[in-house]
Amino acid sequence: GDSVTQTEGQVALSEEDFLTIHCNYSASGYPALFWYVQYPGEGPQFLFRASRDKEKGSSRGFEATYDKGTTSFHLRKASVQESDSAVYYCALGEPNTGKLTFGDGTVLTVKP
Amino acid sequence: DPKIIQKPKYLVAVTGSEKILICEQYLGHNAMYWYRQSAKKPLEFMFSYSYQKLMDNQTASSRFQPQSSKKNHLDLQITALKPDDSATYFCASSQEPGHRNSDYTFGSGTRLLVI
C-alpha cells in the first residue's frame, strides 16, 4: 500500500536557523502531496499542497517541491521562529477515495 | 467560528460499553472522513464518505460504524469498547473526495479514554 516516510522524528533548532524535514513517499498512483502542522490539543492544520511533479507548495515561509523522480516532498524554511514549534506531518492523498496517508510526524522545537 | 464541530471534546468510557462520537461540518463539503491518532499510530485513516456513501473503510473491526444522517454529519459509533480504542478521533472534510486540488480540514478531535 501507499506509505510516507519522514526521516526526522525530532528536530531542535534555534531561531533564524534553516529547517529541512525530509519526506519520501511510495504510491502506486499519482497522488497529491501535503504538509500539515499540528499544535498541542488541536487537529492537524493544512499548510499547503502540491498536485503534480515539479509543483511548489508554500505557506507562511514554508515550502516544498513535488519531485516524482526522487519521490520526495521535503519541507524547508529559511528562518524558523519559536512560534513554528509544532509537529509536522507529510501526507499523500489517494486520488479516488480521498484517503490521506500520513507520515509518523516530526516534532520541531525552536529555541529563542 | 469552528468549521468542523466534534462532540464531546473528552470522553471516558468503561470497557464493553458503546459510545457515539459526533461530527458536523459547516464548510459545504461533500466528503467527510474519520482518523484516529494514538501513541502507536500517529494519524491513521479509518473511513471516507462522499455524498453520504462509504468510499473507503480501512478499519479492520466492525465495532466501528460510521453513521451519516445528513450530508454535513458523519458520526462514529464504537461498540464493545476496549482499552486499545483509547485515542483521539479526528473528523475531517474536503470539497470532493480525492480531488487533486481539495484541501482537507480537520476538527479539533474527541479524546477517548477507555478504562
Side-chain angles (χ1 to χ4, degrees):
Chain A
D2 295 349
S3 65
V4 175
T5 301
Q6 290 179 234
T7 310
E8 298 86 359
Q10 297 193 36
V11 174
L13 297 172
S14 298
E15 280 194 327
E16 300 184 8
D17 281 352
F18 189 92
L19 168 71
T20 300
I21 298 176
H22 294 94
C23 172
N24 288 89
Y25 69 92
S26 172
S28 54
Y30 192 174
L33 301 175
F34 300 80
W35 276 101
Y36 277 82
V37 58
Q38 187 175 27
Y39 300 97
E42 300 181 10
Q45 293 178 18
F46 173 79
L47 200 52
F48 57 80
R49 128 178 60 74
S51 301
R52 55 189 176 277
D53 192 23
K54 302 295 184 282
E55 181 179 357
K56 183 166 82 173
S58 64
S59 175
R60 309 187 216 170
F62 293 91
E63 63 179 39
T65 300
Y66 194 137
D67 190 330
K68 197 164 182 285
T70 59
T71 60
S72 66
F73 193 54
H74 305 317
L75 181 69
R76 294 186 167 91
K77 187 175 186 182
S79 176
V80 294
Q81 302 300 311
E82 188 179 4
S83 58
D84 293 329
S85 297
V87 182
Y88 291 81
Y89 290 96
C90 182
L92 65 82
E94 203 281 329
N96 296 320
T97 66
K99 170 187 173 182
L100 288 177
T101 298
F102 286 87
D104 286 346
T106 298
V107 178
L108 172 64
T109 304
V110 180
K111 299 177 183 177
Chain B
D1 291 334
K3 297 179 174 64
I4 297 183
I5 297 175
Q6 290 192 243
K7 299 176 187 175
K9 194 171 179 64
Y10 301 98
L11 185 57
V12 179
V14 176
T15 296
S17 67
E18 172 183 315
K19 293 294 180 186
I20 295 179
L21 281 54
I22 305 295
C23 176
E24 305 169 70
Q25 57 94 359
Y26 296 94
L27 294 160
H29 287 170
N30 298 308
M32 295 185 71
Y33 313 86
W34 278 101
Y35 287 80
R36 175 169 52 195
Q37 186 173 44
S38 65
K40 296 178 183 177
K41 292 188 179 180
L43 275 164
E44 180 185 19
F45 172 85
M46 299 180 73
F47 300 96
S48 65
Y49 263 67
S50 175
Y51 296 92
Q52 296 184 266
K53 293 184 180 178
L54 180 68
M55 297 293 290
D56 194 2
N57 177 357
Q58 297 286 322
T59 303
S61 173
S62 60
R63 296 186 299 108
F64 295 85
Q65 290 293 329
Q67 300 173 342
S68 181
S69 59
K70 299 178 187 178
K71 193 179 100 170
N72 70 326
H73 282 237
L74 186 63
D75 301 334
L76 181 64
Q77 179 186 41
I78 314 175
T79 58
L81 279 160
K82 303 177 179 180
D84 268 357
D85 297 332
S86 298
T88 299
Y89 291 82
F90 289 105
C91 177
S93 69
S94 65
Q95 184 61 44
E96 298 291 340
H99 192 280
R100 300 190 70 78
N101 293 322
S102 281
D103 296 340
Y104 297 76
T105 302
F106 283 76
S108 57
T110 292
R111 289 154 185 78
L112 172 66
L113 175 63
V114 182
I115 57 176

